[in-house]
Amino acid sequence: MTPRAVDAAARPRLLKRGGRRDRGRERDRLTERECRDLIAAAHKAWGAGRPFNRFVTLAWVNAGIEQDAVAVRRATAAWLKLARDWLGARGHRPLIWAWVMEDGANRGGLHIHLLIHVPDNLAPLFSPMPRRWVKQLTPGGRYVPRTLDTKKFRVVDPGGSEAVHVAYAGELNARLHYMLKAAPRALEGNLGVEGWRWPDAPPWGQHCRVSGTRTRIWQGWR
């Protein structure tokens, strides 16, 4: 069976509704621990020589995936598996990633903001793959506009001079600040991240109701 056939067979499972344990309670805001964990994981990835260098948004609801947190988590897990398998086949393991789930009309509903690491030497080959994986996981097997947005960091390799370190830290921290904007506003001061925000980015204190897990990080990151 071809990889595309395997993925097509898996699509109906992505749309099933989850059980009580997977669904969890609804929350409007991120917790302090979720914020601290995401920040710590990002800086651990950097220290391990696998810094986050891609910022991906997956708006699965636009692609026909149910407006349901369980369905969105499953679609995201399937996308990450395709990315993990692709990188693994090229000698790069494990896949380093972290995501946050939000809900908002500007993205069509529930969506995922995702940070991942892509080795620099694979960047040209990687570029078309996120869209291809979205197509494989979309009902009907076609790409739907506004499902995917992917951005490469301006500084993808933070090695080298102090100026390069500072430039990378500025972008990484701004991305993290944006991803954690649904945290209580008071946490911004408690965590000491007030200066991380880009001038045109939304401030902390946003809120959106999501059931169950709102953030996830690659296994074994601690």
Side-chain angles (χ1 to χ4, degrees):
M1 185 178 289
T2 65
R4 181 173 292 276
V6 171
D7 293 328
R11 281 183 203 132
R13 293 197 293 274
L14 292 177
L15 301 178
K16 288 183 179 180
R17 301 185 70 87
R20 183 185 300 273
R21 183 178 62 180
D22 196 15
R23 189 164 303 281
R25 65 184 180 88
E26 291 188 341
R27 290 187 289 122
D28 289 336
R29 303 285 176 86
L30 297 169
T31 66
E32 181 172 353
R33 178 169 183 176
E34 287 170 331
C35 294
R36 290 189 182 278
D37 281 354
L38 192 65
I39 292 168
H43 287 270
K44 183 168 184 177
W46 182 3
R50 295 186 176 185
F52 289 138
N53 52 23
R54 293 293 188 288
F55 181 74
V56 180
T57 297
L58 295 163
W60 290 114
V61 176
N62 290 332
I65 300 297
E66 186 179 0
Q67 168 70 5
D68 175 81
V70 174
V72 169
R73 282 192 289 269
R74 288 179 174 174
T76 304
W79 189 94
L80 285 168
K81 183 181 186 305
L82 290 170
R84 184 183 304 114
D85 291 347
W86 187 88
L87 286 167
R90 288 154 181 82
H92 291 275
R93 295 185 179 89
L95 177 66
I96 304 300
W97 57 269
W99 59 248
V100 172
M101 187 188 298
E102 296 179 351
D103 193 1
N106 63 322
R107 297 284 185 178
L110 289 167
H111 57 276
I112 296 286
H113 292 305
L114 169 73
L115 288 166
I116 63 172
H117 170 74
V118 177
D120 290 344
N121 65 312
L122 292 179
L125 293 174
F126 178 85
S127 292
M129 300 310 300
R131 181 168 173 147
R132 188 176 302 176
W133 297 328
V134 166
K135 287 174 64 176
Q136 287 181 239
L137 297 168
T138 296
R142 63 185 182 87
Y143 179 75
V144 179
R146 300 183 67 244
T147 299
L148 172 73
D149 184 43
T150 178
K151 291 182 172 64
K152 186 177 179 180
F153 276 36
R154 291 187 296 271
V155 180
V156 295
D157 180 5
S161 69
E162 181 64 22
V164 173
H165 276 252
V166 170
Y168 175 78
E171 180 161 11
L172 174 65
N173 291 342
R175 296 288 182 193
L176 291 169
H177 191 281
Y178 178 81
M179 290 174 70
L180 299 175
K181 61 185 177 293
R185 185 166 298 180
L187 272 182
E188 188 179 25
N190 294 345
L191 296 173
V193 301
E194 300 98 323
W196 290 8
R197 175 173 169 257
W198 275 322
D200 59 345
W204 276 24
Q206 310 294 312
H207 60 88
C208 57
R209 181 153 291 197
V210 175
S211 65
T213 303
R214 297 187 63 127
T215 65
R216 280 191 178 154
I217 300 170
W218 80 93
Q219 188 174 12
W221 75 271
R222 294 183 189 278

